[in-house]
Amino acid sequence: MKIGIISSEFHPLNAAASARAGSWVSYFREFGHEVTVFTSSNALPEKRFLVRSWFSTPDNRASIIRRLAQEVLLGVDLAFRMIFNARRTQMNLITSPPFFMAVFCAFACRLCRIPYVFDVRDRYPNALFELGLLARDKWAGRLLQNLESLLYCSSAFVSTVTKGLA
């Protein structure tokens, strides 16, 4: 099977998403699957199975507006790359956060009619509500909750890092 892994982080970044995506690549290849990784520009370019974005991994230390812009740019770019490389995958695994990157990539999967597994590493938009950045009952909060529900409901499977997220 041709499997796509969509992650904002990949080797050589020293981050949880990078380690998780690297483990998936090794695991799937061990069982004979063909793997393509769609990731940020921070990944090493010499890997033939990588499709790299022009944009880097969103910065956790950036302001909320800048972080949103970074996530959207990365998501749009990766979504277009997924569409143009649709023949390289039969199933995609999308890891989130970044939440907005995941939204665009899930939309690309739906456009190409490629099923996807949604891997949740952090509960968005709940994290934004708990930080007091958005109100759950206002229009933006309801919009994000609807996007979250759409992501979960349209995925073939939802996985989580911990039982607490389930």
Side-chain angles (χ1 to χ4, degrees), residues 77-139:
D77 188 45
L78 288 178
F80 277 111
R81 291 174 190 277
M82 290 168 64
I83 291 167
F84 291 130
N85 290 281
R87 290 189 174 141
R88 292 178 72 171
T89 63
Q90 297 168 304
M91 170 67 86
N92 287 321
L93 195 157
I94 304 171
T95 187
S96 172
F99 178 74
F100 295 101
M101 179 204 78
V103 168
F104 286 103
C105 292
F107 182 69
C109 288
R110 301 252 323 173
L111 279 177
C112 296
R113 295 189 174 127
I114 298 171
Y116 69 92
V117 172
F118 191 65
D119 178 57
V120 182
R121 291 182 293 113
D122 203 353
R123 282 293 310 273
Y124 277 86
N126 283 355
L128 299 173
F129 302 146
E130 290 167 4
L131 291 171
L133 297 172
L134 286 175
R136 185 181 306 272
D137 58 344
K138 301 293 183 191
W139 71 269

